[in-house]
């Protein structure tokens, strides 16, 4: 039997509106100097995730490491919990429910708090039976979450939607994608979980256009996704506005030269040499940086009473624009994907993806208002 989603703030499930930071372990941080990221590297950077303001981290490990947790996980989970962070894991469905059950129980023995269940079983079969296996195991662990796409059984705790992985930045397409996802989540009886990145493809800052267009639109997309009800899976590096390289390139931490403190190895994966102003250290010092925008949005999402409620209301907007209101909290998010500025909705501006010019919202921008 599927667990009901808690209805009050005091006892609602932790994952209902969590922001989960997806850590692609091989490209996050290398602690042992072999040129490849590792769990010890993740553990050494937990302070950054706490500073960023996310609620959980999701470990994405290459096969077969994702199937066989090691003792390194224990220290990571313990330290993450001390930082107030939940730890979740990407697990493949595979094609053997017995193997899936073994994987889940192995990770649970190390104290993880949830799972993001991947795609379809091998061969593209129906995931329903695998989802039932997940539910059977997690019904023994009521504080542990399972996220995945909707299936006929609908037994998971979050419905992961990929509708925001759009080929272009378009307000009409955003509204349509959200409406479809909310309908699917309502049908399943659980909250939605949003993701705007396909880790196998280009980053948003590259996908949405060349030059300054892509990073500008990616900033607007960040405010739109974080304004939505439900959970959010934030892919590593999106908060830095990285462009010019595939998503699997190592994260730049600090310094003026590649690999920007990702590793002490003399040779590692190639990192763009022009990322010195994109590093974590550089952006933490810049109040106008993409990282600072994410930190402020995550702070408001956690603390501002307007960022609350599971209902989305849409209201009239100029062509090429959309505007939603979260209810009952009242947060308004306006998005302009048109070529010209448009009037802002009435209200006090909490945050905007670009500096505002009077009462106008610039092209390729978004703003939060109350």
């Amino acid at each position: 039997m599927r667990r009901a989603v808690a209805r009050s703030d005091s006892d609602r499930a932790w994952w209902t509106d969590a922001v989960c930071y997806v850590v692609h372990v091989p490209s996050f941080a290398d602690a042992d100097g072999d040129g490849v990221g590792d769990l010890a590297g993740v553990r050494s950077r937990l302070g950054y995730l706490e500073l960023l303001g996310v609620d959980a981290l999701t470990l994405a490990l290459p096969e077969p490491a994702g199937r066989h947790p090691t003792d390194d996980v224990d220290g990571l989970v313990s330290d993450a919990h001390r930082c107030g962070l939940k730890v979740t894991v990407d697990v493949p469905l595979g094609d053997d429910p017995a193997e899936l059950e073994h994987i889940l129980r192995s990770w649970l023995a190390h104290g993880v708090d949830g799972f993001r269940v991947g795609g379809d079983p091998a061969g593209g079969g129906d995931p329903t039976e695998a989802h039932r296996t997940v539910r059977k195991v997690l019904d023994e662990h009521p504080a542990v979450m399972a996220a995945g796409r909707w299936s006929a059984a609908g037994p998971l705790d979050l419905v992961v939607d990929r509708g925001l992985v759009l080929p272009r930045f378009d307000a009409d397409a955003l509204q349509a994608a959200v409406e479809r996802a909310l309908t699917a989540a309502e049908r399943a009886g659980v909250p939605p979980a949003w993701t705007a990145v396909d880790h196998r493809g280009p980053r948003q800052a590259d996908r949405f256009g060349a030059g300054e267009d892509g990073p500008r639109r990616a900033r607007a997309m960040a405010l739109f996704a974080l304004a939505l009800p439900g959970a959010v899976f934030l892919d590593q590096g999106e908060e830095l506005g990285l462009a010019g390289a595939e998503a699997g390139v190592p994260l730049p931490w600090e310094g003026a030269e590649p690999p920007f403190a990702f590793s002490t190895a003399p040779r590692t994966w190639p990192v763009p040499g022009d990322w010195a102003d994109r590093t974590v250290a550089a952006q933490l010092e810049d109040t106008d940086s993409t990282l600072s925008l994410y930190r402020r949005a995550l702070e408001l999402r956690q603390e501002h009473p307007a960022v609350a409620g599971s209902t989305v209301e849409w209201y009239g907007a100029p062509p090429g624009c959309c505007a939603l209101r979260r209810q009952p909290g009242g947060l308004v998010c306006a998005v302009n994907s048109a070529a010209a500025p448009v009037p802002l909705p009435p209200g006090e501006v909490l945050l905007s993806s670009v500096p505002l010019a009077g009462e106008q919202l610039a092209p390729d921008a978004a703003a939060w208002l109350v």
Side-chain angles (χ1 to χ4, degrees):
M1 178 180 294
R2 185 173 67 247
R3 291 166 287 175
V5 177
R7 296 184 179 274
S8 67
D9 288 340
S10 60
D11 64 356
R12 66 180 178 177
W14 68 261
W15 55 81
T16 302
D17 55 3
V19 176
C20 303
Y21 187 96
V22 182
V23 174
H24 297 276
V25 176
S27 59
F28 188 70
D30 171 26
D32 62 13
D34 68 352
V36 180
D38 43 51
L39 290 178
V42 178
R43 188 178 179 183
S44 72
R45 296 292 187 174
L46 289 174
Y48 168 66
L49 300 185
E50 186 179 12
L51 184 68
L52 178 59
V54 297
D55 304 292
L57 62 142
T58 299
L59 297 174
L61 288 153
E63 291 296 325
R67 299 173 183 263
H68 305 289
T70 64
D71 290 340
D72 293 347
V73 174
D74 294 329
L76 171 59
V77 171
S78 178
D79 284 359
H81 287 170
R82 277 195 289 270
C83 291
L85 297 167
K86 303 289 188 181
V87 179
T88 65
V89 185
D90 274 356
V91 294
L93 286 182
D95 56 1
D96 181 349
E99 180 190 24
L100 176 59
E101 181 171 346
H102 173 73
I103 293 170
L104 295 172
R105 293 193 186 280
S106 296
W107 281 105
L108 287 167
H110 290 277
V112 300
D113 304 287
F115 301 95
R116 186 171 63 163
V117 180
D120 295 326
D126 190 334
T128 298
E129 190 58 40
H131 284 191
R132 286 182 178 142
T133 298
V134 175
R135 180 77 284 132
K136 180 186 76 170
V137 174
L138 295 198
D139 277 345
E140 302 170 13
H141 302 269
V144 177
M145 170 273 287
R149 76 175 183 87
W150 185 87
S151 74
L156 302 185
D157 300 297
L158 291 170
V159 175
V160 178
D161 183 79
R162 300 179 62 79
L164 298 186
V165 185
L166 296 170
R168 61 192 180 93
F169 183 69
D170 179 80
D172 293 334
L174 289 175
Q175 180 171 341
V178 168
E179 290 175 340
R180 286 193 300 268
L182 291 177
T183 298
E186 183 178 9
R187 181 182 178 190
V190 297
W194 312 95
T195 181
V197 175
D198 181 349
H199 188 68
R200 296 163 295 184
R203 297 179 182 275
Q204 289 187 94
D206 290 312
R207 193 170 80 231
F208 287 148
E212 293 302 312
D213 290 345
R216 181 185 178 98
R217 292 164 181 163
R219 286 169 62 97
M221 189 67 168
L223 291 195
F224 181 78
L226 290 171
L228 296 172
V232 177
F233 285 95
L234 168 62
D235 209 73
Q236 86 178 29
E238 287 300 301
E239 79 281 10
L240 301 178
L242 299 178
E246 293 296 311
V249 172
L251 213 63
W253 292 98
E254 59 185 306
E257 300 289 337
F260 301 111
F262 162 74
S263 174
T264 59
R267 295 176 63 86
T268 186
W269 302 346
V271 182
D274 61 354
W275 274 5
D277 63 345
R278 298 284 87 196
T279 67
V280 170
Q283 294 201 44
L284 283 174
E285 300 297 320
D286 180 3
T287 57
D288 295 324
S289 69
T290 301
L291 177 55
S292 293
L293 178 74
Y294 268 88
R295 289 183 65 198
R296 180 59 178 150
L298 290 169
E299 180 183 39
L300 288 169
R301 183 179 167 98
Q302 287 185 341
E303 299 180 0
H304 201 288
V307 193
S310 59
T311 300
V312 168
E313 295 179 350
W314 303 93
Y315 54 92
C321 303
C322 65
L324 65 85
R325 178 183 284 111
R326 286 273 298 271
Q327 292 289 26
L331 177 77
V332 171
C333 179
V335 176
N336 180 13
S337 65
V342 297
L344 280 166
E348 173 193 357
V349 176
L350 295 179
L351 189 61
S352 61
S353 63
V354 298
L356 298 178
E359 300 298 316
Q360 299 284 304
L361 181 63
D364 298 328
W368 287 3
L369 307 95
V370 291

